[in-house]
Amino acid sequence: MLPTNRIAAVQYGLSRLRSGEAFWANVRRYITKAGDEQAKLIVFPEYLTGHLLSLAPAMTNAEACEYLHARTDEYMTRFTDLSRESGMMILAGTHIHREGSSAAPGPEVKAYYNEAFLFFPDGRVERHKKNHLTPEEQRAWPLLPGDQYEVHDTEIGKIAIQICYDIEFPEGSRIVADRGADIILCPSYTDAAAGYWRVRNCSQARAIENQLYVAISGLVGSMAGVEQVDVGFSRAGVFAPCDRPFPPDGILAVGSGNRGGLVYGDADLRLLTENRTQGGVAPFRDRRPELYAAYALRT
């Protein structure tokens, strides 16, 4: 029997690149492998195009942002073509680019965003800007946060995107769940075990709280000399609620080791409906928003 709504989550291996074409050949290999496993969606990690920084001399974060922005047209064209050719939806990690400039007097201030792009085989592209910038991104990067929560209709269900640190705030996932999300995609970049486990544990918590699927992807390996993405630590995974009809630990798939590869999980919406109607608990349905609101007013 063919897999149902199979999601491929990427543990994307970092290494020094010889050329831009080597980067695109690497991306294509992951997509081809996912296609061989009948995946309908592949999820690449946050700061995916940061891999291209290994082609340039060391630079500041502001210079790195402009370097990546200059590759935006190619990024959009390449992933549009890859989605059409493969017949798969592609969450193409995140890409730093800028939109406009400051209208304030004085020197121009360039506004960059860390944004995820979801490509569809018919040419459609959906987007999500990272809403919660990490303390380092706020302090050391010329990035601006997003301010939207989108839910996208797809052939495998309603999909929302929460980028790395976003998943650590339960409010955002609750908003998209209330808007009908069945699946949350979490492209992430964590450079140490503690960061990974924060994203991993919060992803599993969001799956339990909202009775939906969460898929995470991350960078692994190292890239000496590139300060912005010098090392990555991650284990990609696809998670469900810890309740029937799913595994007791809620893990549908999780990577092993800290090396490049793919993991696969089937996001069957029929099982999600069964969980929401016949599970042992119903945290999505049994919320008491009036109680929470009353206590919020007291603070």
Side-chain angles (χ1 to χ4, degrees):
M1 186 173 70
L2 290 175
T4 303
N5 296 350
R6 177 154 291 179
I7 298 172
V10 182
Q11 286 182 197
Y12 185 90
L14 293 172
S15 62
R16 299 291 303 193
L17 289 168
R18 298 184 303 275
S19 67
E21 285 304 318
F23 169 79
W24 291 109
N26 195 36
V27 166
R28 183 180 289 274
R29 279 193 292 272
Y30 283 108
I31 293 170
T32 298
K33 289 179 181 178
D36 290 343
E37 296 296 327
Q38 286 107 26
K40 293 183 179 179
L41 166 67
I42 183 170
V43 185
F44 284 95
E46 182 183 27
Y47 287 117
L48 173 67
T49 52
H51 197 185
L52 292 165
L53 295 173
S54 70
L55 298 174
M59 59 184 80
T60 66
N61 289 346
E63 291 168 338
C65 285
E66 187 62 22
Y67 179 88
L68 294 175
H69 169 73
R71 282 142 185 82
T72 300
D73 288 346
E74 181 181 19
Y75 169 87
M76 299 298 295
T77 298
R78 293 267 198 167
F79 274 112
T80 295
D81 291 343
L82 286 166
S83 181
R84 185 184 65 252
E85 293 166 9
S86 66
M88 271 190 291
M89 292 178 285
I90 302 173
L91 192 284
T94 73
H95 173 67
I96 291 178
H97 67 106
R98 58 180 162 86
E99 295 180 357
S101 61
S102 171
E108 179 184 56
V109 178
K110 295 177 179 177
Y112 297 92
Y113 294 93
N114 182 10
E115 188 162 14
F117 294 81
L118 179 60
F119 293 84
F120 293 78
D122 64 1
R124 172 183 161 204
V125 182
E126 301 289 0
R127 308 159 67 136
H128 174 73
K129 294 181 174 71
K130 188 174 186 178
N131 285 332
H132 299 89
L133 300 179
T134 65
E136 181 182 356
E137 286 173 323
Q138 296 175 50
R139 180 181 65 252
W141 290 75
L143 296 173
L144 292 178
D147 59 4
Q148 300 291 320
Y149 288 102
E150 310 90 350
V151 176
H152 311 295
D153 289 313
T154 80
E155 66 171 301
I156 68 170
K158 292 182 179 295
I159 288 178
I161 302 165
Q162 298 279 273
I163 301 170
C164 199
Y165 196 35
D166 283 343
I167 204 73
E168 297 185 32
F169 298 85
E171 296 88 347
S173 295
R174 182 66 80 184
I175 288 169
V176 296
D178 281 338
R179 296 182 61 190
D182 305 301
I183 303 164
I184 293 176
L185 307 181
C186 181
S188 69
Y189 168 52
T190 50
D191 60 5
Y196 164 70
W197 283 107
R198 285 195 301 271
V199 171
R200 161 79 176 272
N201 289 337
C202 288
S203 293
Q204 292 197 251
R206 303 298 86 87
I208 294 166
E209 294 161 355
N210 299 295
Q211 295 181 267
L212 44 65
Y213 295 105
V214 179
I216 65 172
S217 173
L219 298 175
V220 297
S222 61
M223 198 161 58
V226 181
E227 179 182 348
Q228 290 77 21
V229 284
D230 57 343
V231 62
F233 185 101
S234 183
R235 293 172 65 189
V238 182
F239 309 109
C242 299
D243 192 7
R244 61 178 182 265
F246 299 112
D249 60 6
I251 298 174
L252 301 184
V254 70
S256 61
N258 198 40
R259 57 185 182 274
L262 288 154
V263 300
Y264 304 94
D266 296 338
D268 190 330
L269 298 189
R270 295 168 300 178
L271 299 182
L272 206 59
T273 298
E274 182 180 342
N275 172 255
R276 288 184 169 185
T277 57
Q278 302 177 38
V281 294
F284 181 66
R285 186 185 67 225
D286 290 343
R287 289 172 298 156
R288 297 182 62 192
E290 298 84 1
L291 175 63
Y292 315 145
Y295 266 82
L297 290 173
R298 297 179 191 178
T299 60

